[in-house]
Amino acid sequence: MPSRNKKGADKVLNFIINQQPVQTDEPRGMVLLDFIRDVKCLSGTKEACREGECGACTVLIGTPRPDGSVSYKACASCLLPIGDVDGCHVVTVEGLSADDTLTLVQQSIVDHSASQCGFCTPGIVLSLTAFCLTSPDYSYEDALNALDGNICRCTGYVSIRNAARALCDRLAKTERAPEKRVAALISAGVIPAYFNAIPQSLKRLPGPSSPPCGDAVLVAGGTDLFVQKPEALRESELCFLSQRRDLDYIREEKDGLHVGGAVTIEDFRLSAEVSRHFPSLKNDLLLHSSTVLRNKATITGNIVNASPIGDMSIILLALEARLAITAKDGSRRETPLSTFYKGYKQYDLACGEIIHEIFIPFLPRGARFNFEKVSNRVYLDIAAVNTALRLTVSPDGKITDLRLSAGGVAPFPLLIGGLDRFCGTAANAATGAEIAKTVTASVKPIDDIRGTAAYKKLLLNQLVIAHFAGPSAPGTSR
Ligand SMILES: Cc1cc2nc3c(=O)[nH]c(=O)nc-3n(C[C@H](O)[C@H](O)[C@H](O)COP(=O)(O)OP(=O)(O)OC[C@H]3O[C@@H](n4cnc5c(N)ncnc54)[C@H](O)[C@@H]3O)c2cc1C
Ligand code: FES
Ligand code: FES
């Protein structure tokens, strides 16, 4: 059974907030935002949407790595249960400037008038600080990507972008090596000196335990669960997938990629192995939620959440992914993702079963992959319709295999069947238009908040045509 706490507790949580060690028996399902503001009275972290949509509640979470260093990521504290930060370093805006002087990030915001009411500013400061800690080369592109989950309603994004650009310019000559990064950023005035001592301080904490889940609710990133039922989860028995370090791996083997069930979408997006075999995914996955969510959200959470428009599910269906599943008694089985979904929010997973690995076969010789998504806004938005295509073409330009998936047009992420008749036809725009017509005729979307059925059919038609046009089209190289 997972360890319990408060009211029948036999386990307290231990973590560090800024410089202060914290020991608490508050419920493991209490969200970090409430703990920071209501229990610790640190009001710099702002509360707004409580749904991961605005970034006002962004904090840094530092997780100890096996080599003893600490990996920092920006996360939305409104969707993050405190049980998930057991053994971690939590940094709020109060913890950035130990002596009340402005950090380099804050000074850049002041210099470029990038704050007005200031409500979004702590979140923006934390996201940019995370960028300083993680970007391989302090690039402006990375700085902008780091801000993709931070919404500002009054300043205007031009001055925020100017502040980010000036920050990148200031860091241009700063040491980049990961092992020297913390020291370099302390010297540059981005983070305070106490960060140096954090790895040792974390080592002294008891650290999280990872007992079998039993009947507890399995929390992966929590970015779906804590939007759906935060009150119920607060008092529930919880089990945290992030504590299964044995499931946090991406392995390249001879037949494909083996991805552990605890891998986050951002780690997958940035993985060298993924970039080597599926180079377009690095940009495609920028369209999934935002950095502060992808830093926690997992691939398996996206699959089991079973949203008809889940981006990862749509991508993995086209890539012919298989799931490896462990039951409560330790027995294991495998299933193709294509037969996993059975109906709206119904899937082939028994109570207590955990997806411990996703297998993604390499692209067959002559194959290309493409993902398309339409949503109301480019970032931080779920799709109206999304679709992915794996298209295999012979040297003489004929289609030999195609796997096309589509979201938003059925009760679950759909692998479109009945397309074999296009094998042997020329892989060109004319065939793409024919396939689009066939696919559009075969789906039965419903009217909902993301659009009418007719609109979704129109979108799907255009997106399938787009699979056969543009930089990813057959016969072109990316
Ligand atoms: C603001 C916002 C924007 C979003 N944007 C997008 C978007 O653009 N695209 C998109 O697809 N989704 C989006 N989402 C939805 C959600 O973030 C994703 O689906 C995410 O991948 C869920 O993963 P998680 O790890 O947070 O899941 P959790 O919330 O932790 O879990 C979801 C479900 O999966 C189960 N589960 C998790 N891992 C396993 C496992 N290994 N084995 C068995 N069961 C498991 C959990 O028990 C739970 O039932 C968004 C959400 C928010 C709040
Ligand atoms: S309060 Fe808006 S993302 Fe957390
Ligand atoms: S400064 Fe007011 S919301 Fe950004």
Side-chain angles (χ1 to χ4, degrees):
M1 286 290 287
S3 43
R4 302 173 60 86
N5 61 6
K6 204 154 197 176
K7 301 167 200 124
D10 57 17
K11 166 108 170 68
V12 292
L13 302 172
N14 293 277
F15 48 99
I16 298 172
I17 296 187
N18 303 326
Q19 299 191 65
Q20 189 192 28
V22 169
Q23 198 172 63
T24 179
D25 65 353
E26 291 290 348
R28 291 150 69 91
M30 175 187 225
V31 292
L32 182 60
L33 174 65
D34 292 342
F35 187 81
I36 290 168
R37 288 181 59 88
D38 302 342
V39 180
K40 289 292 157 193
C41 300
L42 294 168
S43 55
T45 307
K46 299 302 176 207
E47 172 179 348
C49 69
R50 288 184 82 94
E51 289 195 345
E53 295 265 7
C54 72
C57 67
T58 302
V59 295
L60 289 186
I61 303 296
T63 310
R65 291 195 184 100
D67 67 3
S69 65
V70 176
S71 147
Y72 285 97
K73 289 181 175 168
C75 296
S77 62
C78 65
L79 300 182
L80 187 57
I82 55 171
D84 209 14
V85 300
D86 200 11
C88 295
H89 182 207
V90 176
V91 187
T92 69
V93 72
E94 292 89 346
L96 285 180
S97 44
D99 57 2
D100 278 352
T101 53
L102 296 183
T103 69
L104 195 65
V105 174
Q106 290 167 323
Q107 191 60 55
S108 201
I109 285 175
V110 171
D111 292 346
H112 293 84
S113 308
S115 177
Q116 284 190 37
C117 79
F119 202 77
C120 68
T121 310
I124 288 177
V125 168
L126 269 299
S127 287
L128 284 176
T129 306
F131 148 76
C132 299
L133 284 155
T134 55
S135 168
D137 52 3
Y138 306 116
S139 68
Y140 179 55
E141 189 189 354
D142 283 354
L144 289 190
N145 286 341
L147 290 172
D148 61 3
N150 295 90
I151 289 179
C152 174
R153 280 289 170 253
C154 58
T155 298
Y157 291 103
V158 172
S159 37
I160 295 170
R161 284 199 289 266
N162 289 342
R165 190 183 287 283
L167 176 68
C168 297
D169 292 345
R170 289 287 301 272
L171 292 172
K173 294 198 170 66
T174 304
E175 173 67 56
R176 295 162 186 208
E179 66 281 8
K180 297 184 183 155
R181 184 67 72 102
V182 166
L185 293 178
I186 290 171
S187 299
V190 174
I191 49 176
Y194 76 81
F195 269 61
N196 259 332
I198 292 294
Q200 283 307 321
S201 307
L202 289 180
K203 265 188 205 152
R204 287 194 286 273
L205 298 183
S209 53
S210 50
C213 276
D215 295 325
V217 178
L218 178 65
V219 178
T223 64
D224 183 49
L225 281 171
F226 279 83
V227 172
Q228 303 300 337
K229 43 182 178 181
E231 290 85 11
L233 289 169
R234 193 178 189 280
E235 306 298 333
S236 300
E237 197 81 47
L238 304 181
C239 167
F240 297 97
L241 197 60
S242 63
Q243 289 166 11
R244 290 287 307 269
R245 298 286 163 87
D246 58 318
L247 298 186
D248 189 12
Y249 60 85
I250 299 179
R251 271 200 313 266
E252 192 177 345
E253 294 186 8
K254 66 175 187 331
D255 46 351
L257 292 183
H258 295 253
V259 182
V263 171
T264 65
I265 292 177
E266 188 67 353
D267 283 348
F268 181 80
R269 186 180 85 78
L270 296 175
S271 136
E273 292 82 4
V274 172
S275 290
R276 193 154 39 244
H277 295 283
F278 307 101
S280 61
L281 289 183
K282 190 170 182 184
N283 277 336
D284 292 340
L285 287 174
L286 283 173
L287 301 181
H288 185 296
S289 60
S290 64
T291 305
V292 292
L293 294 183
R294 288 192 306 272
N295 277 337
K296 286 305 296 181
T298 60
I299 304 171
T300 51
N302 195 275
I303 292 170
V304 181
N305 133 325
S307 161
I309 40 160
D311 290 322
M312 277 309 312
S313 309
I314 290 301
I315 287 169
L316 292 172
L317 276 171
L319 290 177
E320 209 173 357
R322 297 180 65 82
L323 309 178
I325 296 171
T326 312
K328 261 194 221 178
D329 64 5
S331 60
R332 295 189 163 201
R333 67 183 177 95
E334 265 198 35
T335 182
L337 180 60
S338 55
T339 57
F340 184 71
Y341 297 110
K342 303 295 180 195
Y344 179 67
K345 300 274 178 183
Q346 290 170 359
Y347 41 81
D348 175 17
L349 199 67
C351 184
E353 281 190 319
I354 290 183
I355 301 174
H356 69 265
E357 185 177 278
I358 303 149
F359 170 67
I360 311 171
F362 295 141
L363 292 179
R365 186 181 294 271
R368 311 186 64 80
F369 172 78
N370 189 50
F371 173 68
E372 300 285 342
K373 169 175 176 175
V374 171
S375 44
N376 287 336
R377 57 184 181 205
V378 178
Y379 298 111
L380 238 188
D381 205 0
I382 50 174
V385 172
N386 51 5
T387 164
L389 172 72
R390 189 186 75 180
L391 182 74
T392 313
V393 178
S394 63
D396 63 351
K398 300 277 171 34
I399 296 174
T400 56
D401 182 46
L402 77 164
R403 283 178 70 89
L404 201 150
S405 56
V409 293
F412 51 85
L414 192 66
L415 183 71
I416 311 268
L419 299 178
D420 287 353
R421 70 186 174 86
F422 290 98
C423 289
T425 58
N428 57 25
T431 304
E434 274 307 304
I435 294 174
K437 214 189 298 175
T438 304
V439 167
T440 308
S442 75
V443 296
K444 295 188 180 64
I446 54 166
D447 297 343
D448 65 18
I449 193 166
R450 289 182 295 277
T452 61
Y455 174 62
K456 291 180 198 172
K457 274 186 172 253
L458 177 66
L459 283 183
L460 182 59
N461 188 69
Q462 297 307 105
L463 295 183
V464 175
I465 288 173
H467 281 317
F468 288 83
S472 61
T476 58
S477 55
R478 303 204 98 177

